Amino acid sequence: MPPALPSFPFLTDHALHPSPQLTEARTGHAPVRVQPPYGAPAWLVTRYEDARFVLSSPLFGRDHERAGIPADRISRVTPLEVTSETFASQDPPDHTRLRRFVFRTFTPSRVEALRPSTRRIADRLVDDMIEQGPPLDLFERFGLALPVQVICDLLGVPRSDRALFTSWSDELLDSTGSTEQAAASVVEMNAYLAEQAAQRRRHPTDDLIGALVRARIEGDHLTDDEVKNLLRILLGAGHETTASQIPNFVFLLLSGDGYARLAAEPDLIGTAVEELLRYVPLLTQGSLTRFVLTDIEIGGVLLRAGDQVLVELAAANRDAAAFDDPESMDLARKDNPHIAFGHGLHRCVGAALARMEMQVALATLTSRLPGLRLAQPADQIQWHFDRFVRRPKELLVTW
């Protein structure tokens, strides 16, 4: 009887560093066989160049039907694939068509236009923090509140409905929940977004939902189903991961001299965010599953057509073959081609939004609260771990 495969993801007691098992796998160079909690075994890729290759090569697909893999056999770490039935689970040409609409409507200029309003939101949140006084939970009062308000402003979601998005996103991304709960959240969210799209067709608006509904490329347009699926991706990218990374970044900066340095050198905010993205794993479980479409060798291992691959972004971003002194955090690092948001066709469409929010968050906190510090010993902070994100359960701060 063959030995049992190692369980994946490799969780660690150290809050914001990759598991030693990932380092061991990367230094071994070759992909390793692992067993996620759901679906079939998969190959785990950990080296930087291998990761970029798998994420960008047409020899690896995202469409499980094209690869001949039943839905219940998809290797995954959550009860449901968070992006099932969306363009993130499609290959060209369907993926190419939908991505054109995203790039045409969710443009860098649209994101950059949100920066002033994002600053105002961040300033209001800090005003509220100062009014309440310390100690308080930075995750709840700032880290969670900022991205929820920004993504809802972008989409045009009424303020009265914003709590719905928080609960849906939490249930979809919480791998400890049941498949039934996740499925129910998908149904509720789909119904809501479909209705929002239908309203924009009747009464056009200038928000992102309205822009997606109105978009026309060579006479083609998006269906309401396509609009709602694109919006689900943006909601997922624009809420839970960003909300988790803001307190993660602040914790790490406050644990050393990084926070004081950014308060004194605000011009470093841009490069600091990129380094924090490289250094702090965005996800606990790597990338979305890829399906091998033809036999191919990686690192001396033959992957067969029909095999599945998970790319561990956190390990790739600590690869000494790609980064000088990768285990050290250098807030002024210039050459930083990290792949925290993925790579290739399926690179996160919300990357520009998340990057802008994180820049504004750190700039606002360090300028308004330069004396911010932890309100409890770092080793007493309790951490929330699931198979998608990691963050402090609460991050008590004072100033």
Side-chain angles (χ1 to χ4, degrees), residues 181-197:
Q181 288 174 322
S185 294
V186 170
V187 171
E188 292 174 6
M189 185 183 293
N190 281 346
Y192 180 88
L193 293 174
E195 175 56 28
Q196 291 293 310

Side-chain angles (χ1 to χ4, degrees), residues 197-224:
Q199 287 182 15
R200 300 315 194 275
R201 293 199 191 281
R202 296 191 296 267
H203 306 289
T205 60
D206 292 329
D207 52 46
L208 183 58
I209 298 179
L212 286 170
V213 166
R214 293 193 311 274
R216 293 287 189 279
I217 298 178
E218 297 176 358
D220 191 13
H221 69 281
L222 296 172
T223 67
D224 283 356

Side-chain angles (χ1 to χ4, degrees), residues 201-313:
R201 293 199 191 281
R202 296 191 296 267
H203 306 289
T205 60
D206 292 329
D207 52 46
L208 183 58
I209 298 179
L212 286 170
V213 166
R214 293 193 311 274
R216 293 287 189 279
I217 298 178
E218 297 176 358
D220 191 13
H221 69 281
L222 296 172
T223 67
D224 283 356
D225 281 345
E226 289 170 338
V227 170
K228 78 183 180 191
N229 288 334
L230 290 173
L231 294 174
R232 275 173 50 198
I233 292 177
L234 291 172
L235 285 168
H239 168 223
E240 184 73 9
T241 51
T242 307
S244 297
Q245 284 295 65
I246 290 173
N248 287 344
F249 288 0
V250 171
F251 167 79
L252 198 60
L253 292 168
L254 291 177
S255 298
D257 62 359
Y259 190 91
R261 184 180 181 186
L262 293 184
E265 302 178 63
D267 288 346
L268 280 181
I269 293 291
T271 56
V273 167
E274 297 309 309
E275 177 67 346
L276 287 161
L277 285 166
R278 181 195 72 83
Y279 193 75
V280 181
L282 185 66
L283 307 175
T284 60
Q285 54 87 19
S287 69
L288 297 171
T289 311
R290 263 64 180 181
F291 310 110
V292 183
L293 301 178
T294 188
D295 293 359
I296 187 170
E297 185 176 303
I298 295 181
V301 174
L302 180 62
L303 278 58
R304 300 283 189 182
D307 284 351
Q308 303 185 55
V309 180
L310 296 169
V311 177
E312 188 37 85
L313 304 175

Side-chain angles (χ1 to χ4, degrees), residues 79-123:
L80 294 177
E81 255 209 325
V82 176
T83 56
S84 61
E85 299 181 2
T86 72
F87 86 123
S89 296
Q90 295 175 339
D91 294 328
D94 293 334
H95 175 273
T96 306
R97 170 184 172 269
L98 294 178
R99 189 133 187 146
R100 281 195 305 164
F101 279 97
V102 173
F103 283 142
R104 184 70 63 87
T105 53
F106 188 52
T107 60
S109 60
R110 183 181 285 272
V111 171
E112 193 57 32
L114 284 172
R115 190 179 291 268
S117 63
T118 303
R119 287 175 178 151
R120 289 193 292 272
I121 293 170
D123 275 326

